[in-house]
């Protein structure tokens, strides 16, 4: 993945999470991963198109998703209902949109697809020929992983 | 002795003539022939379900470039692949809704369509007359070719459809055909060479033999030390350098303690391994040496792969060398490294003008914080955070610059990466390795004067 793309995603994830969760956010070590990646339980996905092709995946376990949604809505949410899913989807949208805005300022043209959310046990995601950049984020609500797989259009 | 021909000989001659005729006439292989980019090809008729003419394929987003889309074949949805794009052959421009010639193929349970320029006819031949592919068939990778056959004055290249389209075959295509001594098994390897040398010199005395064994054991330990401290793997890539350096090391240490005990020892051993101008812009001599290896012909576009580019000094140097040699060409360099910290700095390299060697000055512009390379040079490079051991989605390249990176991969990975280089490099392309590295095996041959360690496909 192009070096120029990395920072916008890391920064916007950090800023948005800090703002919506109103707490301390810690960034883990970035690394690359290929082949199939286990998904922790709740995964929001946003597709990218334009100069590049790829997708951004926001991955967290269920308790974390519930806690994050609770903080963002200002009320205690206990079950994985429509509201929780909509909230996590919105979070994914905010982070990706902010990153794409930053990339636009640097002269890279990306378009977004509407986010989609997947929930379930024992899921994994595989992208055949693309390696993914993993950005782990530690929050008071739990661990989130932002998984960015982008490549230049051939 | 009569001058008559021996009747037995004549009989044998007749018999062989007969068998030859039989062989030529016996049709046991039928193929559908078609043309791609002006050349004739054939596919085993057993793989061809039918032929069709169709257009207006339904576009599939995010599919590989050679997938034209999907097509509704009497209710079955099949994917349509453009063979010309797949093999990088020229495609004639057509109207968007033009009708294309389509071969509907079946491989195992999969049915799909491939687009070709035009479908010719069915030709029956004898299996025995198929000749193996020759490695110089540049357009299509040899591993996809089943053979060549001549029929009615035309040469047909027979494609191996099963190999091209079955994902299973693709996996089996990557054996570690690059033999390299396994580092983890160093003691075992030492034992192997011990028996070999003992065999070659059976008359040697017992003490002499045990001294040789000791020496081989120590060199085995040194190899292990290099791998565990610096992940430097001794293999066919750098064996020549290792032997020379080991002899030198023995002299330096004067027979005291040859073994490596810590990172520092490994660094001391590896001193002098790295290529000239590592971590700095290339000097004029090295720029010229690299330029001299590249073909002198006028090229319009150059694709370069630069894995293990580190902080990017070699990438910028190469970009300038290419700009100098081919001012008109469109240069594209994919530079990648798995060291995030190093590669993060690469795109924003800044100099004070005094420190940049003379040949680079014309490509520098003054930026906010100092001098940087101009936009044209910047636009030619993609710096990527990428691990070469993952999939490398690159178009065919003219040049691979990979200095001092292979040696730091495990021997199995070295073999895999070299096989990938072989596949990604165009027929006339050049591979540049580190000064003390070599790829000279069956698949590669050295080129150039030797100042730069460069190789071409054998």
């Amino acid at each position: 993945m192009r070096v120029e793309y990395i920072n916008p995603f890391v920064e916007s994830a950090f800023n948005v999470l800090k703002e919506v969760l109103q707490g301390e956010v810690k960034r883990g070590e970035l690394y690359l991963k290929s082949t199939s990646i286990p998904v922790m339980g709740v995964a929001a996905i946003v597709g990218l198109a334009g100069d590049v092709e790829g997708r951004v995946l926001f991955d967290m376990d269920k308790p974390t998703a519930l806690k994050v949604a609770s903080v963002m809505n200002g009320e205690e949410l206990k079950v994985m209902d429509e509201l929780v899913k909509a909230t996590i989807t919105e979070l994914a949208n905010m982070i990706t949109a902010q990153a794409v805005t930053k990339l636009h300022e640097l002269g890279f043209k990306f378009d977004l697809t509407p986010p989609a959310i997947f929930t379930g046990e024992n899921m994994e995601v595989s992208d055949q020929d693309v390696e993914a950049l993993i950005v782990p984020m530690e929050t008071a609500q739990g661990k989130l992983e932002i998984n960015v797989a982008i490549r230049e259009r051939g | 002795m009569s001058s008559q021909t021996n009747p037995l000989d004549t009989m044998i001659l007749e018999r062989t003539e007969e068998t030859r005729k039989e062989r030529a006439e016996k049709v046991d292989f039928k193929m559908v022939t078609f043309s791609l980019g002006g050349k004739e090809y054939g596919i085993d008729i057993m793989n061809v379900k039918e032929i069709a003419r169709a257009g207006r394929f339904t576009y599939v987003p995010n599919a590989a470039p050679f997938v034209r889309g999907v097509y509704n074949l009497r209710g079955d949805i099949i994917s349509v692949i453009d063979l010309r794009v797949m093999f990088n052959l020229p495609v004639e421009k057509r109207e968007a809704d033009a009708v294309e010639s389509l071969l509907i193929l079946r491989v195992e349970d999969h049915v799909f369509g491939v687009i070709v320029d035009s479908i010719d006819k069915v030709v029956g031949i004898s299996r025995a007359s198929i000749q193996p592919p020759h490695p110089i068939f540049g357009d299509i990778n040899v591993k996809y070719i089943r053979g060549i056959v001549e029929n009615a004055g035309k040469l047909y290249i027979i494609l191996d459809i099963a190999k091209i389209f079955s994902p299973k075959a693709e996996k089996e295509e990557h054996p570690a055909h690059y033999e390299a001594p396994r580092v983890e098994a160093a003691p075992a390897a030492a034992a192997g060479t011990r028996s070999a040398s003992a065999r070659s010199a059976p008359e040697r005395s017992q003490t002499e033999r045990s001294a040789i064994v000791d020496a081989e054991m120590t060199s085995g330990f040194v190899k292990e030390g290099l791998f565990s401290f610096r992940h430097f793997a001794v293999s066919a890539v750098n064996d020549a350098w290792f032997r020379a350096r080991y002899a030198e090391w023995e002299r330096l240490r004067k027979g005291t303690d040859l073994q490596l005990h810590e990172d520092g020892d490994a660094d001391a051993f590896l001193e002098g391994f790295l290529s000239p101008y590592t971590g700095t812009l290339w000097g004029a001599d090295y720029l010229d040496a690299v330029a001299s290896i590249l073909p002198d012909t006028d090229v319009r576009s150059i694709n370069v792969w630069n894995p293990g580019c580190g902080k990017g000094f070699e990438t910028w140097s190469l970009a300038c060398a290419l700009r100098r040699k081919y001012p008109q060409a469109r240069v594209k360099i994919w530079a990648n490294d798995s060291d995030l910290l190093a590669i993060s700095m690469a795109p924003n390299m800044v100099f004070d003008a005094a420190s940049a060697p003379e040949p680079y000055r014309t490509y520098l512009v003054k930026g906010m914080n100092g001098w940087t390379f101009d936009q044209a040079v910047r636009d030619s490079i993609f710096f990527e955070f990428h691990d070469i051991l993952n999939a490398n989605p690159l178009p065919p390249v003219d040049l691979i610059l990979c200095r001092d990176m292979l040696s730091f991969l495990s021997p199995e990975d070295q073999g895999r990466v070299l096989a990938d280089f072989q596949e990604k490099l165009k027929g006339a392309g050049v591979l540049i390795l580190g000064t003390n590295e070599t790829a000279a095996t069956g698949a590669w041959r050295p080129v150039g004067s030797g100042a730069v360690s460069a190789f071409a496909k054998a």
Side-chain angles (χ1 to χ4, degrees), chain A residues 1-4 6 27 29-35 48 53-54 128-133 151-154, chain B residues 59 62-65 334 337-338 340 343-345 347 378 381-388 390-393:
Chain A
M1 191 169 89
R2 278 188 78 163
V3 178
E4 288 90 336
I6 298 176
R27 198 202 78 196
E29 199 67 32
L30 308 186
Y31 61 98
L32 291 169
K33 213 166 176 182
S34 158
T35 66
L48 296 172
E53 49 194 17
Q128 276 284 305
D129 280 343
V130 188
E131 67 186 350
L133 171 77
R151 69 172 171 197
E152 307 301 304
R153 283 180 70 91
Chain B
Y59 174 73
N62 262 351
W334 284 268
D337 204 288
S338 60
L340 182 59
I343 190 99
S344 302
M345 321 291 277
R378 301 175 76 87
I381 306 178
F382 290 152
F383 283 109
E384 295 176 320
F385 176 42
H386 170 67
D387 188 339
I388 193 169
N390 294 336
N392 298 301

Side-chain angles (χ1 to χ4, degrees), chain B residues 178-448:
Chain B
Y178 192 70
E179 306 109 35
R182 285 175 60 93
V183 170
E184 298 92 318
T193 40
R194 169 177 20 166
S195 63
S197 57
R199 234 181 294 125
S200 67
E203 72 280 11
R204 278 192 184 148
S205 74
Q206 192 66 38
T207 48
E208 255 179 283
R209 217 177 298 162
S210 73
I212 291 168
V213 171
D214 279 354
E216 271 161 8
M217 289 283 276
T218 324
S219 94
F221 284 135
V222 168
K223 286 181 189 175
E224 253 177 275
L226 290 173
F227 194 71
S228 58
F229 293 126
R230 282 292 173 248
H231 209 275
F232 180 92
V234 178
S235 70
V237 167
N238 47 37
D239 194 49
W241 176 84
F242 175 79
R243 280 165 196 276
R245 177 63 184 162
Y246 185 74
E248 197 181 355
W249 185 249
E250 273 183 323
R251 271 207 316 283
L252 281 174
R253 293 272 165 141
K254 275 281 179 286
T256 51
D257 191 4
L258 290 173
Q259 292 189 26
L260 312 176
H261 294 290
E262 50 174 40
D263 293 1
D265 290 343
D267 287 341
F269 191 95
L270 291 178
E271 206 183 279
F273 175 76
L274 295 181
S275 305
Y277 303 109
T278 294
T280 166
L281 289 174
W282 296 349
D285 54 334
Y286 202 82
L287 280 174
D288 292 339
V290 168
S292 71
I293 287 166
L294 302 170
D296 286 320
T297 46
D298 202 21
V299 283
R300 267 178 303 164
S301 94
I302 308 168
N303 289 340
V304 184
W305 183 14
N306 179 205
C309 66
K311 294 196 175 108
F313 285 102
E314 62 179 33
T315 320
W316 291 112
S317 307
L318 180 69
C320 292
L322 291 171
R323 269 280 293 279
R324 237 167 29 137
K325 177 134 182 166
Y326 309 109
Q328 303 300 327
R330 187 192 58 84
V331 177
K332 239 181 173 179
I333 306 179
W334 284 268
N336 38 59
D337 204 288
S338 60
D339 180 349
L340 182 59
L341 215 60
I343 190 99
S344 302
M345 321 291 277
N348 305 310
M349 194 169 279
V350 178
F351 309 89
D352 41 9
S355 76
E358 202 281 321
Y360 299 97
R361 303 252 166 97
T362 42
Y363 307 116
L364 292 176
V365 289
K366 194 155 173 66
M368 269 186 295
N369 307 315
W371 292 79
T372 55
F373 285 99
D374 64 25
Q375 200 60 40
V377 177
R378 301 175 76 87
D379 285 346
S380 65
I381 306 178
F382 290 152
F383 283 109
E384 295 176 320
F385 176 42
H386 170 67
D387 188 339
I388 193 169
L389 300 177
N390 294 336
N392 298 301
L394 286 172
V397 294
D398 302 275
L399 173 66
I400 296 176
L401 176 70
C402 177
R403 303 196 314 161
D404 307 327
M405 189 208 78
L406 283 178
S407 295
F408 296 90
L409 298 177
S410 76
E412 295 81 36
D413 290 338
Q414 292 177 9
R416 267 180 50 206
V417 169
L418 276 170
D420 204 17
F421 285 173
Q422 183 77 224
E423 192 172 314
K424 297 273 154 50
L425 200 61
K426 288 185 190 166
V430 178
L431 163 69
I432 299 179
L433 294 181
T435 304
N436 294 309
E437 294 176 318
T438 174
T441 56
W444 301 94
R445 62 181 168 82
V447 289

Side-chain angles (χ1 to χ4, degrees), chain B residues 48-117:
Chain B
V48 180
K49 187 169 172 277
E50 59 182 279
I51 59 176
R53 289 180 67 74
R56 291 177 175 275
F57 306 113
T58 308
Y59 174 73
V60 181
N62 262 351
F66 54 77
V67 176
R68 280 284 290 273
V70 290
Y71 174 61
N72 185 345
L73 180 77
R74 296 185 298 273
D76 288 331
I77 305 297
I78 60 168
S79 44
V80 176
I81 288 157
D82 195 326
L83 271 190
R84 298 162 299 191
V85 178
M86 193 168 186
F87 294 131
N88 296 307
L89 298 170
V91 181
E92 282 172 44
K93 272 261 172 281
R94 294 192 187 209
E95 305 269 316
D97 55 353
V99 175
E100 307 259 20
S101 298
L102 209 55
L103 280 166
I104 314 290
L105 304 182
R106 183 192 281 133
V107 175
E108 287 161 31
D109 292 333
H110 298 286
V111 175
F112 50 86
V114 300
I115 299 174
V116 299
D117 281 340

